[in-house]
Amino acid sequence: MDQKRKVVLFIACSLDGYIATKQDGLEWLFSVDGQEESTTIVEKFEQTIDTLIMGRKTYDWVINELDGEYPYENKENYIFSRTVPQVSSKGITFTDLDPAELIQGLKNQAGKNIWLMGGGELIADFLEADLIDKMIITIAPILLGKGIPLFKEGNYEMEWELTNVRQIVQFAELTFERKSL
């Protein structure tokens, strides 16, 4: 029996709900005890997906932090950008498509789940279009006080069901499924 592909927001945030500092920094996330276990969790999650979706700032951060290396070349990648380069490479497609159009096309294809990685603006766009099926949010025990919020203000009032909670050393992982209306 075919299982329908899901769009899964898999992301970490601070205790006060920020996914990055105002300068797009994530150093705070890597300073928390339990990174080894967290890395294993991410690797297991990656086995459930074959497609990644992220915003251009997130993509640029990954490329910058890894000195030009891109760790997801073995997956199908869609990078949302207002300035779409003429050439896509290494399994990476830059796009300015409407998110609903892209997701409809992807869900009509066979495959594993789709990882919505970030950032904040793209998450808000996906929420407003009601495109996220599941959220796995890992909360780090750090207060940033300011930064880029996980959930920006928007037009997306909706209900979710908490389906799992687990502790990973100093992190709390919450899993939510979209409630059917």
Side-chain angles (χ1 to χ4, degrees):
M1 183 168 136
D2 286 338
Q3 184 177 354
K4 186 176 177 186
R5 299 176 84 181
K6 291 183 178 182
V7 175
V8 181
L9 173 62
F10 182 77
I11 197 163
C13 69
S14 65
L15 188 57
D16 50 354
Y18 296 106
I19 57 175
T21 65
K22 288 281 186 195
Q23 298 77 30
D24 296 321
L26 292 176
E27 300 78 22
W28 57 272
L29 181 60
F30 302 109
S31 69
V32 178
D33 289 338
Q35 281 304 311
E36 300 79 23
E37 290 85 350
S38 294
T39 300
T40 302
I41 300 297
V42 172
E43 289 169 354
K44 285 182 181 176
F45 173 76
E46 286 180 24
Q47 294 171 8
T48 70
I49 60 110
D50 60 7
T51 305
L52 277 93
I53 296 174
M54 68 181 80
R56 181 64 182 262
K57 287 181 188 175
T58 302
Y59 173 79
D60 288 344
W61 184 90
V62 169
I63 293 295
N64 185 50
E65 286 299 306
L66 299 176
D67 296 322
E69 294 294 317
Y70 188 69
Y72 309 109
E73 290 179 8
N74 62 336
K75 312 277 187 198
E76 191 173 358
N77 293 270
Y78 293 93
I79 314 303
F80 277 85
S81 177
R82 288 183 188 89
T83 55
V84 178
Q86 294 296 321
V87 179
S88 296
S89 63
K90 300 180 190 175
I92 299 168
T93 301
F94 291 89
T95 183
D96 59 358
L97 279 176
D98 176 70
E101 185 179 338
L102 175 66
I103 294 304
Q104 180 180 355
L106 290 174
K107 283 191 169 185
N108 286 333
Q109 299 172 12
K112 295 180 179 181
N113 286 337
I114 302 160
W115 181 2
L116 175 59
M117 183 180 279
E121 289 179 33
L122 189 59
I123 292 168
D125 289 345
F126 271 64
L127 285 169
E128 287 188 0
D130 197 12
L131 298 173
I132 302 175
D133 302 300
K134 182 176 184 177
M135 294 190 288
I136 303 171
I137 301 170
T138 303
I139 301 171
I142 293 179
L143 293 170
L144 294 177
K146 60 185 173 208
I148 299 168
L150 172 57
F151 299 116
K152 297 182 140 220
E153 190 173 314
N155 297 312
Y156 49 80
E157 186 174 324
M158 54 185 58
E159 290 187 42
W160 294 82
E161 181 179 352
L162 179 64
T163 58
N164 193 42
V165 177
R166 74 173 162 169
Q167 182 175 351
I168 306 163
V169 188
Q170 287 296 303
F171 294 92
E173 182 186 83
L174 307 173
T175 302
F176 299 91
E177 299 271 350
R178 181 73 167 98
K179 268 190 156 180
S180 298
L181 300 176

